[in-house]
Amino acid sequence: MQVLRCERMSGLSRIGVAIDTGLLDKFDRLIAQRGYANRSEAFRDLIRDELVEKTWESPDSHVVGTVTLVYDHHVRLLNEKLTGIQHEFHHAILSTLHVHLDHDNCLEVLVVRGKSAVVRKVADILISTKGVKHGRLTITTSGAELK
Ligand code: NI
């Protein structure tokens, strides 16, 4: 991909991009499936996503995210373990949502905020706890540094 030109006007830059036709066709199909009205917003979202990922790479940067956990609450002492870990990292956990999915399974979503290294650590510890069937850290941003 090659940027051809760049016009800047009142905080908005317009760029021309040379891109392989086949690749652009695939991109257009993808963004149509996702409901984008035009390429510009799709490009902006890709750029924002990369910038958020980059922020998370620095251990001291302040980040926001969610941790999703699915587990069987019948597993012995699992609830106690997960609650204990959350209390240990209470500064990094803003809120939790617990849903009893069925007779056995629970879904928890934790909103996490803090230094990237701390947030990753609490997510890793929770997700790797024996009895957690599935876990995922979703990284996002407070939005303050993104337009
Ligand atoms: Ni439950």
Side-chain angles (χ1 to χ4, degrees), residues 73 98-100 105-106:
H73 76 273
H98 186 109
V99 178
H100 311 302
N105 294 294
C106 301

Side-chain angles (χ1 to χ4, degrees), residues 53-72:
E53 291 266 354
K54 187 73 190 160
T55 301
W56 276 73
E57 284 174 15
S58 167
D60 285 333
S61 57
H62 283 268
V63 297
V64 177
T66 59
V67 180
T68 305
L69 304 169
V70 174
Y71 62 91
D72 182 342

